[in-house]
Amino acid sequence: MPRVADRNNISDAEWEVMRVVWANKSCYSKVIIDVLEKKMGWKPATSKTLIGRLVKKGYLSAESDGKRYVYSTDTTEPESLMVEIDTLLGQICKRNVPNLLSYLVDKSVLTEGHRDDLIAQLREKEVTEKIPCTCTPGQCTCHLHVENSVLSERSNRPNIGSNHEERND
Ligand SMILES: [Zn+2]
C-alpha cells in the first residue's frame, strides 16, 4: 500500500465514510451505511460506492469474515488531516499562511488552557524578517511586484482580496 501522503486525496464524501471507520476502528458496511443515511441522507448504494473507491485508493482494507466484509484502515484521522493541510499549504502563497492561521484561531473554540498553549507556542516560534514567496511565477501576485513593472504599479493600488501586504511591524 502506498504511503498516505502518496495516495490520492480523500474527497469530501469519502471523508464522511472515513470518519465512521476511524470512529469504529473497524466495521461492517452496515454501520457506515446507517450513519451516513442519517447524517447525509445517502442511499446504501452511495455509501457502498464510496467504500469501494476508498478500498481502491488504499485507505480502506476489506477482510471477509464469511458472509460480510469488515472494513478497517491503516490511517488515523489526525495523520490524514495533516496530509490534507499539507496539500492546502502547497496550494497557497507562504505569505498568506499568517492570515490562514489567524482565520483558524478565529474559528476555533478554545479553553483557557488551549489558548495559553497557543500563546506559549507563538512566543517560542522562530520568526523571519520577510516571508519568502516560493510560488511559481504567474500564480501569485508577489512575483508580479518584482518581474513586471507595469503590473507592479497596478498592484500598488488598494487591492481588495489580496493578502500580500508586507508587514514589517
Ligand atoms: Zn507567493
Side-chain angles (χ1 to χ4, degrees):
M1 241 183 233
R3 289 185 320 124
V4 175
D6 297 335
R7 295 176 197 169
N8 289 318
N9 277 36
I10 305 175
S11 71
D12 291 349
E14 289 162 359
W15 193 268
E16 296 293 336
V17 173
M18 290 306 294
R19 286 197 70 185
V20 182
V21 182
W22 283 321
N24 290 276
K25 311 284 180 218
S26 66
C27 60
Y28 295 114
S29 62
K30 173 98 172 63
V31 177
I32 300 167
I33 287 166
D34 287 352
V35 170
L36 297 180
E37 198 157 34
K38 211 169 181 183
K39 181 183 177 186
M40 310 299 284
W42 290 345
K43 296 205 163 68
T46 306
S47 289
K48 282 182 185 163
T49 302
L50 293 167
I51 292 167
R53 274 190 215 150
L54 286 162
V55 170
K56 220 171 163 184
K57 284 184 180 180
Y59 284 98
L60 289 183
S61 45
E63 206 181 311
S64 173
D65 79 341
K67 282 190 263 175
R68 298 185 289 181
Y69 281 105
V70 183
Y71 295 96
S72 59
T73 179
D74 64 347
T75 67
T76 64
E77 189 164 12
E79 174 195 24
S80 299
L81 192 58
M82 276 170 202
V83 172
E84 296 294 320
I85 291 169
D86 285 344
T87 302
L88 174 69
L89 290 175
Q91 288 169 338
I92 64 172
C93 181
K94 282 190 172 62
R95 292 183 183 170
N96 278 336
V97 175
N99 292 310
L100 176 65
L101 270 177
S102 150
Y103 179 78
L104 285 173
V105 169
D106 209 37
K107 286 275 173 178
S108 301
V109 180
L110 303 172
T111 64
E112 201 176 346
H114 289 129
R115 194 188 58 188
D116 290 348
D117 286 350
L118 277 171
I119 290 168
Q121 190 188 354
L122 283 172
R123 285 232 169 84
E124 293 293 308
K125 179 69 185 169
E126 212 177 285
V127 294
T128 181
E129 214 160 282
K130 193 178 173 186
I131 303 171
C133 165
T134 54
C135 302
T136 301
Q139 283 198 313
C140 172
T141 53
C142 299
H143 283 92
L144 300 179
H145 291 263
V146 189
E147 288 173 14
N148 189 317
S149 58
V150 179
L151 283 166
S152 168
E153 274 169 39
R154 192 187 298 167
S155 61
N156 284 336
R157 290 185 208 153
N159 198 349
I160 295 161
S162 168
N163 294 316
H164 289 271
E165 285 90 359
E166 296 292 327
R167 290 184 59 157
N168 298 316
D169 50 324

